[in-house]
Amino acid sequence: MTTLDGLAFAADPLDRASYRRDDKAEVADLRARDDARAIVIARDMPVLSKSAAGLQALLPMAEIDALGGARVEALLGVLPDGAPVFAALLGDDAVEERSNASDGFFDRRVLVAPGREDLKLVDLRSIALSGLVPPEQASMLAAAKALMHWHAHRRFCSNCGQLNDVAASGWRRDCPACKTQHFPRSDPVVIMLAVEADACLLGRQPRFPKGMYSALAGFLEPGETIEAAVRREIHEEAGVACGEVR
Ligand SMILES: [Zn+2]
C-alpha cells in the first residue's frame, strides 16, 4: 500500500537555523558557500535535475541565475553536514507551459525550462507518491513549495493593500506602510482512522485516482481541540458518531 504525505514528508534533516534569518551578512555568507544548494520552484512546481543517479531536488545556487533569477529567496536551513539550503521562486516566464491537463489531484501541467533538457518539472504529489527523490528531500520540497506559494499569492498587505517587503530571509513579509508583519500561512489539519473491531473507515473523493482510498481528514478550526475536530469531521464526512478518540 502506498501512503501519501505523512511518511513522505516526515524525514526532515534540516536545522532551520531560524536564529540566523535576521542577520543579512551571515545569510549572504551562507548563500556564497560552495556547498550551498537551492530548491527551485516555478509556478508551484519543483524543478528537478536529471542525472544517471535519478532525479535531484538540490540544485547548485548558480542555477537560479541561469534560470532568470529569483523573485523571492528563503533560507530553508542547514543540512547536518553544514550545507545551507535555500528555496527560490522563479518568475512565471522562466518556464513554458506545454499543456494544462490537471485533474484536480495531480498537477499534470507540462512545464519546461526552454533549452534545458537536463531539468524536469514535477508536481509534489507525484514526487511523494512515486518516491522520485530521497525522502529527506521530499520534506524540504514541501517546505519550499509551501513557502514560495505563500510569497507568490500574498504579495500585498492584507491590512492596507501596500506591496510588502520580503524579510527574515524569506520567512516574513513586512508592510512598509502600516508596519504589519505577515508570517507564512500554516494550516493545521486532523487526519484520523475510525475503527470498529478489525474494520476501518476509508473514503475517496471523485478527484482521487482510480483505486485510491484515504483516511478521513479535515481542517482544525480556531479554538477547536484536536479530538473535537476529529469527531466533527468524521460526522460531517461520513455521518458517523465516534466513541473514544485517542
Ligand atoms: Zn500594510
Side-chain angles (χ1 to χ4, degrees):
M1 183 177 177
T2 309
T3 57
L4 179 63
D5 295 356
L7 289 176
F9 297 132
D12 184 0
L14 279 180
D15 168 1
R16 292 185 171 226
S18 57
Y19 58 93
R20 299 163 97 166
R21 290 174 189 162
D22 287 315
D23 187 333
K24 286 184 178 169
E26 192 178 357
V27 172
D29 286 346
L30 289 172
R31 197 190 183 290
R33 284 173 54 136
D34 287 341
D35 58 355
R37 290 292 179 269
I39 289 177
V40 176
I41 306 290
R43 300 198 212 186
D44 268 350
M45 235 186 255
V47 179
L48 307 179
S49 70
K50 291 187 264 188
S51 73
L55 293 167
Q56 169 66 242
L58 298 175
L59 311 183
M61 295 301 287
E63 286 288 25
I64 299 172
D65 283 338
L67 290 163
R71 286 164 62 188
V72 181
E73 283 186 16
L75 172 63
L76 285 186
V78 178
L79 290 169
D81 66 1
V85 179
F86 288 79
L89 175 66
L90 300 182
D92 285 351
D93 54 2
V95 293
E96 188 182 309
E97 188 172 305
R98 294 264 166 89
S99 83
N100 184 346
S102 293
D103 56 18
F105 188 77
F106 292 109
D107 185 345
R108 297 192 191 278
R109 287 176 298 172
V110 177
L111 303 180
V112 295
R116 294 295 305 268
E117 295 303 318
D118 58 323
L119 299 178
K120 187 173 173 63
L121 283 87
V122 187
D123 81 296
L124 197 56
R125 275 203 168 114
S126 298
I127 291 172
L129 262 182
S130 307
L132 296 181
V133 302
E136 67 274 13
Q137 292 191 3
S139 65
M140 289 186 270
L141 280 171
K145 183 190 164 181
L147 190 56
M148 294 300 116
H149 182 270
W150 175 72
H151 280 293
H153 296 276
R154 297 291 183 275
R155 296 164 58 217
F156 296 92
C157 179
S158 54
N159 191 43
C160 77
Q162 184 77 24
L163 184 64
N164 285 333
D165 299 324
V166 177
S169 303
W171 287 91
R172 207 175 69 219
R173 295 185 74 96
D174 290 350
C175 178
C178 74
K179 308 299 178 197
T180 302
Q181 295 182 330
H182 301 276
F183 293 88
R185 178 172 163 172
S186 182
D187 300 306
V189 298
V190 289
I191 183 162
M192 55 273 171
L193 197 62
V195 295
E196 186 172 67
D198 61 350
C200 69
L201 174 66
L202 299 175
R204 57 172 278 115
Q205 298 180 14
R207 66 193 181 109
F208 280 3
K210 189 168 180 284
M212 175 179 166
Y213 292 83
S214 168
L216 302 184
F219 289 105
L220 193 67
E221 295 185 341
E224 188 176 36
T225 65
I226 293 170
E227 291 81 359
V230 165
R231 290 174 190 285
R232 179 179 54 74
E233 285 288 345
I234 289 181
H235 187 260
E236 270 179 30
E237 292 190 6
V240 171
C242 292
E244 184 192 8
V245 177
R246 59 187 168 87

